[in-house]
Structures are given as C-alpha cells and as structure tokens.
Amino acid sequence: MAQLNWTYYSLTGIPYSIDMYHGDESGHLMLLVNSEIMIIDFNRKEKHSYSFYIESQLLEFEIEQEGEGYDYKLSPQAPDCSHIPEEKYFGEHFWIPLIILIIALNFVFHFIVNAFN
C-alpha cells in the first residue's frame, strides 16, 4: 500500500496536512485533508486526476501507473480571477470633487491676487 503525505500552505499561510493511501493491488484510493476524507475511489488502477478545494484554492491530484508502481502528483492551480470585477482607482467619485476643488482654489487665488492689487 502506497502512503504519501504533503503539507500544503494555503494562500493565507495556514498549513494543511494532505494524506494519500492507495492500494497497489486493489487500487482503492483515499485522500484526506487534515484527517477529513476528501476523495474515495475504488479500483483506480489507471491514470486519473481529481480536483478539490482548500479554502479558495483549487488543487489537482493526479495518479498515473508507471510500470509496476504508480506516480502521484499534487499541484495547486492558478487562481481564477475572472469573477472578480476590475477595481477602479480613479472613478467619477474621485474626479468630480477634484475638479470642483481646483475651480474653487482658482477662484480663491484669483480673488486674493485681485484684492492686493
């Protein structure tokens, strides 16, 4: 029976213990995250990939037969930011008050210059 474990640090820096058990002869697979079962699959002897989330990060676990044994890969996937709207740094709520402030300062400056002449 193959047993592997990884420590995955989430995007927030919290460590997660990932344990994997895979029977060489039976092909039964169990994947645990912090001792909680995430994936159970029976009679898995050929190449397959599984996806699961830790916090908001997608991870992919791959199993592939290599000769007599198996190769296991755990890899985090790039975050999908398409659902997050683009943040506007200088929207109309910035420009309108700035323009009004500049006009007011011009009037004050013009009034002071004309008052002392």
Side-chain angles (χ1 to χ4, degrees):
M1 173 180 276
Q3 296 181 4
L4 292 174
N5 62 349
W6 298 270
T7 300
Y8 170 74
Y9 289 89
S10 69
L11 298 174
T12 58
I14 298 172
Y16 287 87
S17 174
I18 301 173
D19 301 307
M20 187 275 311
Y21 302 97
H22 183 240
D24 294 330
E25 294 177 14
S26 67
H28 300 337
L29 173 74
M30 185 166 57
L31 192 72
L32 299 104
V33 176
N34 286 347
S35 299
E36 293 184 24
I37 298 172
M38 294 298 288
I39 297 170
I40 294 180
D41 198 2
F42 299 102
N43 200 21
R44 180 57 60 195
K45 295 183 179 180
E46 66 277 349
K47 180 178 180 176
H48 195 74
S49 67
Y50 303 90
S51 298
F52 61 96
Y53 281 94
I54 292 181
E55 291 181 10
S56 61
Q57 177 69 48
L58 178 66
L59 281 88
E60 187 172 299
F61 174 73
E62 296 180 22
I63 180 173
E64 184 175 355
Q65 187 171 10
E66 299 242 339
E68 294 291 318
Y70 291 90
D71 186 33
Y72 307 99
K73 294 178 187 173
L74 179 67
S75 57
Q77 302 302 306
D80 179 21
C81 299
S82 63
H83 65 282
I84 300 173
E86 185 176 331
E87 186 174 338
K88 294 181 180 178
Y89 293 105
F90 299 111
E92 65 183 43
H93 297 291
F94 174 78
W95 291 111
I96 292 173
L98 180 64
I99 291 169
I100 293 171
L101 179 66
I102 290 172
I103 292 171
L105 288 175
N106 277 332
F107 280 128
V108 169
F109 180 74
H110 184 67
F111 177 73
I112 291 173
V113 168
N114 286 338
F116 289 113
N117 286 336

